[in-house]
Structures are given as structure tokens and as C-alpha cells.
Amino acid sequence: MTPRVSDAGNLPAPLTTFVGRGRDLAELCRRLGTTRLVTLTGAGGVGKTRLALEAAAASAADLADGAWLVDLAAVRDPSSVAYATATTLGLPDVGTRPVIDQLAAFLAHRGPLIVLDNCEHLVHACAELAHALLSASPGLRILATSRRALGIFGEHLFTVPPLASDDAVELLRDRTTAMRPEFRVTDANRAQVRRLCEDLDGLPLAIELAATRLRSLSVDEVVNRLEDRFGLLTSGSRVARPHQRTLRALMDWSHELCTPAERLLWNRLSIFAGDFGLDAAEAICAGDGIGENEVLDLLDRLVVQSIVLPCERDGLPRYRLLETVRQYGRDRLAESGEEERMLRRHQDFYLALAEGVADGWYGAGRLESVTRVSAEHANLRAALAQGGDPQATLALATALRFHWCEGGFLGEGRRWLDRALAAAPEPTLARARALWLAAWIAALQRDHAAACRWLDEAAELGERLDDHVVHANVQGLRGTLALFSGRLAEAVSLFEEAVPALRRTGEDIGAIYALIQMATAQSHLGDPRTTQTCRQAVALAEAHDERMIRAHAWWTLGYDAWRRGDLAEAEAMTRAALEHEQGFNDYVRVALMLEQLAWVIAARGNHQQAARLLGAAHALQRDIDTPISTFGPHMAEQHTRCEEEVVRVLGSAAYEQALAEGSGHRGPDEAIDYALRTGSEPTATAPAPSPLTPREQEVAALVAEGMSNRQIATALGRSPRTVHGHVENILAKLGFGSRARIASWWTANQAPTP
């Protein structure tokens, strides 16, 4: 099976009908079928993006890996083009190579269509990206939109013309009737409608803006007012008026027809990079002429005028400005003298947001936090790039620590931290905490030398400032580095010091991770305290209602059971951990869990399935350039032993075939689904009759969903004490020692869905 990025891609659903351009669309689709790089060029407002999206949607059914829109309008730094593309494709940046090289490796065996939209201000970076990716991936196609050609070998240019006269009239009619249903193009007004569309040079954006004025003006009135406006620009010579002047004149007129408050909001909204939420607009744009309770009403009025467009991202309602409209507003904002103040307010808002996200990253609000920071990525980048207040930038880069380290943005996080640390060398608490974060990222990237340097400086500064949080985190990271380097006894000693220090400073999540890593080191050392350390981690994770950390703790319990030879317990724990990893797109953790499950299943005698799981793990590790040796020589040694055993039993040819079969899954979630569908035995057996009462079965089902006792009590309308009793009875009846075993048992013993 050829691995694929996705079945559908991420193309946005259109909010309006696509009018005209039948021949253009057909020709563009034909070219996409025969050409690997097509660039749509043309004036601003001519409809390049909409045509590209329509062509991508029309071609999607024939694409192996879907069609993906990379919107570069909000990207200002050329080095961020590759990061934006990786983010769109869902590729975590956790390797050590440049992200453009990681993308090339990721796409080498895939065949999506990537739409690079708004390339004109990043032409060289887009050209470099397109060349690298097309060279690496024979199945890849790229459709770019730009006012300038990318200028690389193999590029085919498609100049998007203004709308033909009939199409322009139909677009005006369609958009006007959406706001004024009684509007008609009749014999009486057809000539003036055509004249209006000709005056607007057939530019779709200009026509859509003009249509909003037909809510209250007649066609004749709009024509006359525009003629007056154009006359000021061209001294009456229509020939002298290029498309961009037409658009500028219409922008000027639209701006003047807004109320003072609407104009003010339009200008201030231009501070956002990409789309934005209502709360951000209210917090940043209110004041000095706009009341906070007026922002929503003003936004609605700008939406009606097609200045602001409603949209959605990750299920969240959002707003955006087309780049032409945004740039016009930004020019007006600069003229007003408000730009610097708006930039400060923008950074202040996103610093507060990032700090709130960090506080809520773990626990019941985790999914909401991840979704919000994903939606705000472009604005967070813009806030980091401002550079006006180096200490604020340092604090913002540090507040995004979980986003960088657990969201799959290691390379980008390190780049921002390097810049922020260089710009703010003062010995502040913000610097001390940024230093241990930089060390954490470097450790995850396998750059141990840099991690040690950052930790030494963080430790010295933390001691000088008498900051116990920095000290505790430094100790924990030193333990991680020792573990990754194979110095297991040293790692245990460092974690033993770090765990109580982290608990004293309220860093319970850090303490859980330290316990999990300590248990891993203890298990390899044959330390009899391993199981107790694991159960400490599980208990602390349960107390924090944290699904992902609970999964990590169960995974470690499975590892301990495997080392002790309890293969049934090891398999149950590892499967339960995998089930609870679904939805997080965590390549690293899922790859390690699949690897561990392969070891267990090989030990249980199903070498064919073990080989397939090794293939699934290897594919994820390959995609993110993170081999198992990253996590210590002890892990690499165990992988080699398992692989050698499987090859001995199956033979090299059968092993390679099974490995290839397992490597065909599209990302972590699909690999998890595959692993959970298959068992350790070559043939499946029917589930045994349940010894549980109906109520206990109900509780077991909710435990399998990852609910805590408090959540189950709320769901069933019972007291937590009653639920605790049910859970204890279930554990006793099934002979299990943990909730993870309940979850795995419940999943394995359900009747197949018809």
C-alpha cells in the first residue's frame, strides 16, 4: 500500500458560488493532469486563489493523498514557508535536519497536490521549497498563486485574466441578489450593469465590493460615483488606469463609505496575521473610538460589506480579511499613527493567551488548548516576530513550551528561542526559564551538547535568582539526558532528586514525566522498585485527569511487565496506551509504543505480526527523522534483538514483506487502528462471557473511554464513592491490577459492530 497524507486534504468549503471561468477551469485541470508545477499569475483581486481552489477541488478525486492549501498571506519570514507547509500537512518538526529536508523525505512516497497561495512576497523561498519537494517526490504536484513567476525549471505559467463580460455581469447579479433578493438584470439596466463591470475591469474582488453598494444605491448611482473616483486617478483617461489603480480607487471609496467606527476597526483588524477570533478582536481593537461591546456589531457590518469574511478553523468560528483588503487597512493604520500601539496590544494579547494555554495544556481542557494554539499559530508567529520588547518576546517563546515540545514544532521553537535569547541577554527569571526550555528542545532533537550548555547556564542563573522551579526542571532534564545517553544508574539518581523538587514547586506534570523515565531506567537495571515507580506515575496522572500522560504511564507499566516476563499484562497495557493516544498525532510516542508492542507480540510467538508492527513503527520514525536510538542505546539494542529473532523465524524475504505491509499506514492514528485490530495470536478467539453485572459493564465501558471516577459519577448520576466501589469490584472479578487492564479487556471483549 502507498502511504498517503489524507483522504481529503484541507481545502476550505466555499461560502459563495463559483461564477464563470468554465474554460479557464477546464484548461487548468488539464494542465494539472500533465504538469507538476503550475503557477497562476495575474493582478491582485483577479481571482487567482478562488480559481486555484476550484481546480484543486475538481482534481482531488484523482489524487492519491488529497489536496492541501498552504496560505502564505500571513507569512512574512521566508524561513517560515517550509514550516507553514509542514504544519499544513500535519508533519511534526521533531527531527534534526532542516524542515525542508524533512518535508522532502515525508513526501518521497506520497502524491498530494499542494496549493501554495499568495507567494509573491516570498518568491525565492517558495521557489526553493517547490524545487526541493518536486525533486524528492515523483507523485507531488504544486499549484502556486503569485503576482510573479517562481522562475524555476519545469514551471508552467497560467495567467488568470479578468472575467469575461457575461461572467462579470453574472457575478455582480449573484452577489447582489444574495443581499438584495429583488435585484434583477433587465433590459432597462443591462447596459449600465455592463458598464459598471467594465469600469471595474472585470476584477472579481472589485465587483464583489461594488455589489455591497447596490444594497442601497442604484446601478446608475454606483456607476456615476465610481466614474468620479476614477477621474481623480487618471485625469479622465480610462486607458491610463491599470487594474491595481481600479482596485485602489474602489478600496478608497469603500473605506470612505464606512462609518468612522467601521473604518477604525478595518484599520485595526489589519494587525492580525491570517484569521482571528472575536475575543482577540475585542481585546486588541476596542478602545479609543470603539467600545468593546461594539466590536461584534461592527464586525457584522463589515462582513455585510465584504470587507471581513467569516470562516472556520478547527471547528472554531473565525474572521479574516483578504490580503488586498488587509494591506489597505494596514497602510491606513500606519498613516493614523496607531500601528505601534496596536502591535504592542497584539503581542500582549497573545502572550496572555499563550500563558493561559500552557496552564491548561494538561487535563480536561487539553484538546481545547491544542485546538486554540493551532488556530492562532500565524498570529503567535507574528507576535514573536515583532521584537519591540525582547523580554516579552522571550516570555512568549517560553510560554509556548508545550506547543513546541509536544505539538511537533521543535525546530521552529528552537529558532524562536535562539533569537529571543540572543536579543535578551539580561540575567532575568524569564531568561533562566527560557534556557531550560531551550535545553529541553535540544535534548529532544538529540543535540546533547547544546542541551548541556543551556542547562549549565540555566542552573547557574537559577541558583543566582534562587528559583526553585528552574532548579527542579534542570535536574529533571539532566536525568533525561542521562537516560538518552544510556547512563541509567545516573539517570535514576537524578530523577530521585528531581521528583520531590518538582512536586514541591507545583510542577506535578514534570514529576509524572520524571517518574515515567525513572521507571524506564529502573526496569533496564532490574530494580525491584520499578513497578512501584510506575504505579506512582499512574496515580499522579489519574489525579490530574490527564489522558495523554495516563497513556504514557500505562505504556511504561507495559514495558515493566514485558521486562518481568508478564507478556499478557505487557500487551494489555501497551494496547490500552495506544488506544488513548488516538487523536494526538504524536508520531514519536506512537512509534515507540508500536515498537514495544512488536517486542511483546514477538515474545508471544506471532512473529509475522511483530514484523508488521515494526514496519508501522519504522514508517513513523522515518517520516519524522527520529530513529529509536534517539532514546538511548538500550532501546536500539532491544530493537535489534527483536528484529534478529523475527528474521530467524520468518526468513529475510518474509520479514521484508511483512515490514512493507506494516509501513503502509497514513500517520499515527491509522497505525494505531491497525495495531488494535490485530492480536498476538495468529487466529482470533470469541470473547468470553462477561463476569460483570450490567452496571459494572457500564462503568467498564466508561473506564475504557479514559474517564476518571469523578467523570463516571457525573455521567451515571452516582457518587464517586459508589463508582470507586464498582471499579474495585471489576478489578477483583477480572484479576487485574490497573484501570488500563480494564480498558484493554473491554475493547477486546466487545462484539464486532455489524
Side-chain angles (χ1 to χ4, degrees), residues 258-265:
C258 289
T259 66
E262 290 168 355
R263 288 197 293 270
L264 198 56
L265 183 60

Side-chain angles (χ1 to χ4, degrees), residues 80-154:
S80 292
V81 170
Y83 287 106
T85 306
T87 300
T88 297
L89 294 176
L91 173 65
D93 172 26
V94 296
T96 54
R97 293 184 295 169
V99 70
I100 194 169
D101 294 341
Q102 295 180 54
L103 270 169
F106 180 74
L107 291 169
H109 305 288
R110 294 174 164 90
L113 168 65
I114 297 177
V115 180
L116 294 176
D117 192 28
N118 292 297
C119 298
E120 52 270 349
H121 60 299
L122 300 160
V123 164
H124 296 302
C126 290
E128 180 186 4
L129 178 72
H131 176 74
L133 300 189
L134 290 168
S135 299
S137 173
L140 173 67
R141 279 175 280 176
I142 294 177
L143 177 58
T145 73
S146 176
R147 297 180 195 178
R148 299 164 53 197
L150 300 189
I152 64 174
F153 181 75

